[in-house]
Amino acid sequence: MSSQEPARVSVRILEKEYFVACPYEERSALLDSAEYLNKRMREIRDSGKVVGLDRIAVMVALNLAHELMT
């Protein structure tokens, strides 16, 4: 496969499968990122304080944005 052709990568986040295109050489980083996101989303979901996939995703996004800004 040429490095110019995007790879189609399957990731699972909270038991849902998503297919994401990325540069072939970045597959491993994408999988690591998805695993990290899944872990963070599970932590929020398992706390029982936030219900609903969209709300969990927003809470994780806000937490990650806060971490990046501090």
Side-chain angles (χ1 to χ4, degrees), residues 3-60:
S3 64
Q4 303 291 38
E5 298 176 43
R8 188 166 181 226
V9 180
S10 169
V11 298
R12 282 188 88 64
I13 298 172
L14 293 185
E15 292 77 42
K16 289 188 124 185
E17 186 173 27
Y18 300 90
F19 291 95
V20 181
C22 74
Y24 189 77
E25 60 276 5
E26 294 179 17
R27 293 179 334 257
S28 180
L30 173 61
L31 291 170
D32 289 345
S33 297
E35 184 178 327
Y36 181 72
L37 176 60
N38 187 47
K39 176 181 177 278
R40 296 290 299 263
M41 289 184 72
R42 283 177 172 276
E43 288 169 356
I44 296 286
R45 182 194 65 191
D46 293 349
S47 75
K49 296 177 183 173
V50 180
V51 178
L53 183 60
D54 57 338
R55 291 175 185 260
I56 292 169
V58 168
M59 289 306 300
V60 171

